[in-house]
Amino acid sequence: MPKVLRADNMNKCLGCFTCMLTCAAVNHNNHNLAKSSIKVKTRGGLQSKFAATVCVACKEPACAEACPTNALVKRPGGGVKLIEEKCIACEKCVSACIVGSIHMDYDRKIPIVCKHCGACVRMCPHNCLSMEEVSE
């Protein structure tokens, strides 16, 4: 059964950014937080908790529909998979994403899209993230 990433326990988050560093390192061979598909930030204020912006694994992904070259294809369980060779870096997927979880890697000229691989989940020291089994 396919699995998707969920940020369902962010009240435990301390803002260590381990999830972001892991995602960037595992998926993009880079230790730059900007290369992560998960974005952790404060909700605002000095004593606020943290929030995570993650792909919600849409069953009918607007990002894939917006892509003129079919570089984003639906993955089982929701969300998309990037076919890098087809991407023309038009950024239409970025503006089409309903939760703002897609952003561009301007160095490589491709969008950074969550693969729902679970690397961030495995490395989070506070169990803020989870992988949820979903039907196809």
Side-chain angles (χ1 to χ4, degrees):
M1 211 171 213
K3 293 183 178 184
V4 296
L5 174 64
R6 298 288 186 233
D8 50 8
N9 225 345
M10 290 303 292
N11 58 327
K12 293 180 174 182
C13 182
L14 300 176
C16 70
F17 303 114
T18 301
C19 58
M20 292 177 65
L21 287 169
T22 300
C23 176
V26 168
N27 293 304
H28 301 284
N29 296 319
N30 197 309
H31 288 91
N32 183 340
L33 294 178
K35 306 295 184 184
S36 172
S37 63
I38 182 171
K39 294 294 181 192
V40 175
K41 61 184 178 183
T42 180
R43 292 182 190 156
L46 295 174
Q47 298 179 358
S48 179
K49 302 221 180 235
F50 289 90
T53 302
V54 299
C55 173
V56 294
C58 300
K59 296 287 185 189
E60 297 299 326
C63 57
E65 291 176 26
C67 181
T69 61
N70 297 315
L72 294 174
V73 295
K74 289 183 190 180
R75 65 180 283 283
V80 294
K81 178 183 175 187
L82 174 66
I83 302 170
E84 290 185 26
E85 308 79 53
K86 289 186 173 186
C87 182
I88 58 172
C90 68
E91 299 188 48
K92 290 183 179 181
C93 57
V94 175
S95 55
C97 179
I98 63 169
V99 295
S101 68
I102 299 176
H103 53 281
M104 288 300 291
D105 179 341
Y106 291 107
D107 297 329
R108 297 178 56 210
K109 297 179 177 48
I110 59 167
I112 296 176
V113 181
C114 182
K115 298 177 182 179
H116 298 273
C117 67
C120 57
V121 175
R122 290 187 298 276
M123 295 306 291
C124 177
H126 303 288
N127 299 314
C128 302
L129 308 169
S130 64
M131 293 300 288
E132 179 182 303
E133 284 191 355
V134 294
S135 60
E136 290 186 48

